[in-house]
Amino acid sequence: MWADYEQDLLAVEDRLLQFAGDANDYIRDVTSHIIRSGGKRLRPLLMVISSRLSGYSGPDMTLLSAVVEFIHTATLLHDDVVDHAEMRRGRPSANQVWGNQAAVLVGDYLYATALWMATGIHIHEINDVLTLACRKMSEGEVLELMLDNNLAAREEDYFNVVECKTAALTAGTCRMGAILGNLDPLRKKALEDFGYYIGMAFQVADDTLDYMAQKDRLGKTLGKDLSEGKMTLPLLHCLAHSPTPQREVLVQRIGQGEITDMHLGEVVGFMKTTGSLDFSLERAVSFMRKAKQSLDPFPDSLHKQNLLALSDFIIERDL
Amino acid sequence: MWADYEQDLLAVEDRLLQFAGDANDYIRDVTSHIIRSGGKRLRPLLMVISSRLSGYSGPDMTLLSAVVEFIHTATLLHDDVVDHAEMRRGRPSANQVWGNQAAVLVGDYLYATALWMATGIHIHEINDVLTLACRKMSEGEVLELMLDNNLAAREEDYFNVVECKTAALTAGTCRMGAILGNLDPLRKKALEDFGYYIGMAFQVADDTLDYMAQKDRLGKTLGKDLSEGKMTLPLLHCLAHSPTPQREVLVQRIGQGEITDMHLGEVVGFMKTTGSLDFSLERAVSFMRKAKQSLDPFPDSLHKQNLLALSDFIIERDL
């Protein structure tokens, strides 16, 4: 799937480094550090396939692919400050190397640069979609912060956060592909829906894998969400379905900071008894199925097949 | 001068509160706190007078006035995190009340909301000017961070920071007024130049007043820049013109954190011997004169007179 878009994605990398290099040395260093740290480039890939499925493969496809990755990168920089992160994808996070101040301000710079690049295309419909997605994302970040360590959090609060912080940008990304290709309103909506559901599936799967994945495969620390008090779906489900003594242990672990392997093993054990991991994965799979169904208005093609394969990958990557 | 635009500015206040209130309770609380904390509304005033001077007084004037104030407010929230500020305009800063995390994320939300509002007007020229100004601002913030405590900083580095972090937005604001009024290129440039020079004059005056103003008049802590290691014009000039023993004392005080009244008195004393305060004020006055000259292409009118009066106010506000 990636192979079909290798040239497109290489052009996006060039564009990312070009815009990172366009600033002073310091911004370039911080930006290159986080850009080169091996993100999955999921959003550029969505932009590229959506554009090509819509019949567009001109320069604005590459530019907007870089834009959505820059916006995503900016939120990572701010997230790491907010979460006091020390590592990102197996390397020291930017805030660890350059300090919180640099991470906040370079994040602002990347975000501003991305919007300056995007509005330079001069398509109002693109601007409307992108700035609304950005607004929802930042609202989602605040909503997530409000839920941290919040034992009154409900599943619907969680899904609202995921919708804002993740699905808004993936939905907007796919819709921008359809806009570049001048599709009719029905297919624009179809691609937007695809992006929405794949974003939901991705985030719910990611939040579940935080309790399942093997540490060396993702370069992530297992149990990170628990130690940070993130009220994600498996934890909410487990809390709601735990008998009182088990619930009391869970409450103690939420936001505890350092989580030992033993503590984590115990919590994962609880989640197995309440079926919370299976429940969460099933929700991710359900969003994935809706993503696939959204593409029904499109006839079969290489690009449609690749979007369907991407949907499977979102779920199966680490299982 | 303010009185001539009282109704316009009240409409801007309504718009600010309306957009702050459009989000969840938490965002509204943080936003209202900083919006209500009595800023000077210099940028909305520039937007209003520039628009009216250009013959436009429709709803986009009010909207863009709120946009530039939101963008300014977002940078204040991030600045306070970066500077570890405890107070802002005589009240506890947002990061003190709600924490750094909230200040970072609500700043992002205000910024995203502002750009969403602005692009909704659907004028490409406005988008180009505004996003470029935002990009320069964020670059200026990073440049300023790099200069902190930097004894190798030169006057040109300082002016470059001021140009980016302050003058880019005031220049863009005045140019947007001219765009709304559909002025010819020469007058668009004239208003942009006015905004540029008034931004330069304002910031240089502000940085000088940090060593001069009486505490109770500005609601600011005197000597704040010195304690934070900000390499502003009076300090750079004083360093460059101090004999070695005096320079050594200055170097010790830069970024020292707590600055006692005695230490500050000593530094201000040095600045008087080197003429650094007079030098800095003279630079501010010189920018102010250039601002006034920029308006030459405009015939005399109430709005032109008010921009001229505003130029004087920028310099004379606290002397």
Side-chain angles (χ1 to χ4, degrees):
Chain A
M1 172 179 59
W2 258 262
D4 289 325
Y5 308 101
E6 198 181 341
Q7 290 308 312
D8 292 337
L9 291 172
L10 282 174
V12 174
E13 292 303 304
D14 283 349
R15 196 89 209 204
L16 286 171
L17 291 175
Q18 179 196 329
F19 275 99
D22 209 18
N24 64 63
D25 293 351
Y26 187 83
I27 291 180
R28 189 169 56 233
D29 287 348
V30 182
T31 306
S32 301
H33 174 85
I34 189 155
I35 283 182
R36 287 176 194 272
S37 69
K40 291 173 290 292
R41 304 291 192 257
L42 174 65
R43 290 154 192 84
L45 187 63
L46 283 175
M47 186 72 222
V48 164
I49 313 185
S50 297
S51 301
R52 287 196 172 272
L53 178 65
S54 306
Y56 180 88
S57 58
D60 292 344
M61 174 183 83
T62 313
L63 190 139
L64 287 175
S65 298
V67 162
V68 292
E69 187 67 11
F70 257 26
I71 289 171
H72 173 61
T73 305
T75 66
L76 294 185
L77 280 167
H78 286 186
D79 276 352
D80 283 347
V81 172
V82 167
D83 297 338
H84 310 290
E86 294 174 6
M87 301 292 281
R88 157 84 51 199
R89 297 172 187 149
R91 300 172 66 194
S93 60
N95 50 315
Q96 277 293 308
V97 182
W98 286 275
N100 279 342
Q101 303 169 315
V104 169
L105 298 181
V106 174
D108 289 347
Y109 176 80
L110 287 185
Y111 186 66
T113 299
L115 288 175
W116 170 72
M117 285 159 67
T119 53
I121 298 178
H122 286 196
I123 301 175
H124 290 308
E125 203 179 343
I126 294 280
N127 296 340
D128 291 342
V129 168
L130 188 65
T131 56
L132 183 61
C134 287
R135 189 179 185 220
K136 285 196 116 184
M137 275 177 80
S138 57
E139 189 173 358
E141 297 281 340
V142 177
L143 290 171
E144 186 181 34
L145 181 66
M146 291 165 63
L147 280 194
D148 283 355
N149 303 306
N150 186 342
L151 295 171
R154 298 156 306 171
E155 282 183 18
E156 63 192 90
D157 298 321
Y158 166 77
F159 285 118
N160 189 23
V161 166
V162 174
E163 187 175 308
C164 289
K165 86 165 188 168
T166 306
L169 185 59
T170 50
T173 299
C174 292
R175 188 174 184 99
M176 288 195 292
I179 294 169
L180 289 181
N182 261 318
L183 296 194
D184 59 85
L186 185 117
R187 292 188 184 192
K188 277 182 189 162
K189 178 75 169 61
L191 261 177
E192 179 181 351
D193 285 349
F194 173 81
Y196 172 85
Y197 286 119
I198 210 169
M200 296 297 288
F202 172 81
Q203 190 63 56
V204 173
D206 214 50
D207 293 342
T208 311
L209 289 172
D210 191 70
Y211 290 97
M212 298 177 73
Q214 288 161 31
K215 194 172 176 174
D216 54 330
R217 287 178 75 185
L218 267 178
K220 286 185 180 180
T221 315
L222 213 57
K224 189 167 163 286
D225 290 343
L226 182 64
S227 67
E228 288 172 1
K230 298 274 174 235
M231 305 305 283
T232 59
L233 190 58
L235 186 59
L236 287 171
H237 184 273
C238 190
L239 270 170
H241 296 83
S242 287
T244 308
Q246 184 168 310
R247 195 184 145 85
E248 279 169 3
V249 176
L250 280 174
V251 168
Q252 209 183 322
R253 298 288 170 258
I254 293 169
Q256 184 180 289
E258 285 293 304
I259 297 282
T260 65
D261 284 351
M262 203 185 72
H263 286 160
L264 184 65
E266 188 185 29
V267 170
V268 171
F270 292 168
M271 288 180 174
K272 282 179 181 158
T273 65
T274 52
S276 302
L277 296 175
D278 287 343
F279 170 83
S280 298
L281 275 183
E282 186 38 55
R283 293 306 304 264
V285 169
S286 156
F287 283 125
M288 180 267 275
R289 283 200 202 100
K290 284 185 183 164
K292 287 181 168 181
Q293 280 164 17
S294 306
L295 295 179
D296 283 350
F298 291 90
D300 193 31
S301 69
L302 169 72
H303 302 305
K304 179 172 173 175
Q305 286 303 324
N306 279 328
L307 285 183
L308 296 173
L310 183 62
S311 311
D312 289 322
F313 169 78
I314 291 291
I315 301 291
E316 288 162 14
R317 54 198 158 137
D318 278 284
L319 303 181
Chain B
M1 168 179 60
W2 258 262
D4 290 324
Y5 307 101
E6 198 181 343
Q7 291 307 314
D8 292 336
L9 291 172
L10 282 173
V12 174
E13 292 303 303
D14 283 349
R15 197 88 209 206
L16 286 171
L17 290 174
Q18 179 195 328
F19 274 98
D22 209 17
N24 65 63
D25 293 352
Y26 187 84
I27 291 178
R28 189 169 55 235
D29 288 349
V30 182
T31 306
S32 302
H33 174 86
I34 189 156
I35 283 181
R36 288 176 194 272
S37 69
K40 291 173 289 294
R41 303 293 192 256
L42 173 65
R43 290 153 193 84
L45 187 63
L46 282 175
M47 185 74 221
V48 164
I49 313 184
S50 297
S51 301
R52 287 198 171 273
L53 178 65
S54 306
Y56 180 88
S57 59
D60 293 343
M61 175 183 83
T62 313
L63 189 139
L64 287 176
S65 299
V67 163
V68 292
E69 188 67 10
F70 257 26
I71 289 171
H72 174 60
T73 306
T75 64
L76 293 185
L77 281 166
H78 287 187
D79 275 353
D80 283 347
V81 172
V82 168
D83 296 339
H84 311 288
E86 295 174 6
M87 302 292 281
R88 156 86 48 202
R89 296 170 186 151
R91 300 173 66 195
S93 61
N95 51 315
Q96 277 293 307
V97 181
W98 286 276
N100 279 342
Q101 303 169 316
V104 170
L105 297 180
V106 174
D108 288 347
Y109 177 80
L110 288 184
Y111 186 66
T113 299
L115 288 175
W116 171 73
M117 287 160 67
T119 53
I121 299 178
H122 285 194
I123 302 176
H124 290 307
E125 203 180 342
I126 293 279
N127 297 340
D128 292 341
V129 168
L130 188 65
T131 56
L132 183 61
C134 287
R135 189 181 185 219
K136 283 196 117 183
M137 273 176 81
S138 57
E139 188 174 358
E141 296 282 339
V142 177
L143 290 172
E144 185 180 35
L145 182 65
M146 291 166 62
L147 280 195
D148 283 355
N149 302 307
N150 186 342
L151 296 172
R154 299 157 304 171
E155 282 182 19
E156 62 191 271
D157 298 320
Y158 166 78
F159 284 118
N160 189 23
V161 167
V162 174
E163 187 175 307
C164 289
K165 85 165 189 168
T166 306
L169 186 60
T170 51
T173 299
C174 292
R175 189 176 182 100
M176 288 193 293
I179 294 169
L180 290 180
N182 260 319
L183 296 194
D184 59 84
L186 186 118
R187 289 188 187 192
K188 278 183 187 162
K189 178 73 168 63
L191 261 177
E192 179 181 351
D193 285 347
F194 173 80
Y196 172 85
Y197 286 119
I198 209 169
M200 297 296 289
F202 173 80
Q203 191 62 55
V204 173
D206 215 50
D207 292 341
T208 311
L209 290 171
D210 191 70
Y211 291 97
M212 295 176 75
Q214 288 162 31
K215 196 173 175 172
D216 55 329
R217 288 177 76 184
L218 268 179
K220 286 185 180 180
T221 315
L222 212 57
K224 191 167 162 284
D225 290 343
L226 182 64
S227 68
E228 289 172 1
K230 298 273 174 235
M231 306 304 284
T232 58
L233 190 58
L235 187 58
L236 287 171
H237 184 273
C238 190
L239 270 171
H241 295 83
S242 287
T244 307
Q246 184 168 309
R247 193 182 147 86
E248 279 169 1
V249 175
L250 280 173
V251 168
Q252 210 184 321
R253 298 289 169 257
I254 293 170
Q256 183 179 292
E258 286 293 305
I259 296 282
T260 65
D261 285 351
M262 201 184 72
H263 287 160
L264 184 65
E266 188 184 30
V267 170
V268 171
F270 292 167
M271 288 179 172
K272 282 179 181 157
T273 63
T274 52
S276 302
L277 297 174
D278 287 342
F279 171 82
S280 299
L281 275 183
E282 184 40 54
R283 291 307 303 265
V285 169
S286 157
F287 283 124
M288 180 267 276
R289 283 200 201 102
K290 284 185 183 165
K292 288 181 168 182
Q293 281 165 16
S294 305
L295 295 179
D296 284 349
F298 291 90
D300 194 29
S301 71
L302 170 71
H303 302 304
K304 179 173 174 174
Q305 285 303 322
N306 279 328
L307 285 183
L308 296 173
L310 183 61
S311 311
D312 288 323
F313 169 78
I314 291 290
I315 300 292
E316 287 162 14
R317 54 197 159 137
D318 277 284
L319 303 182

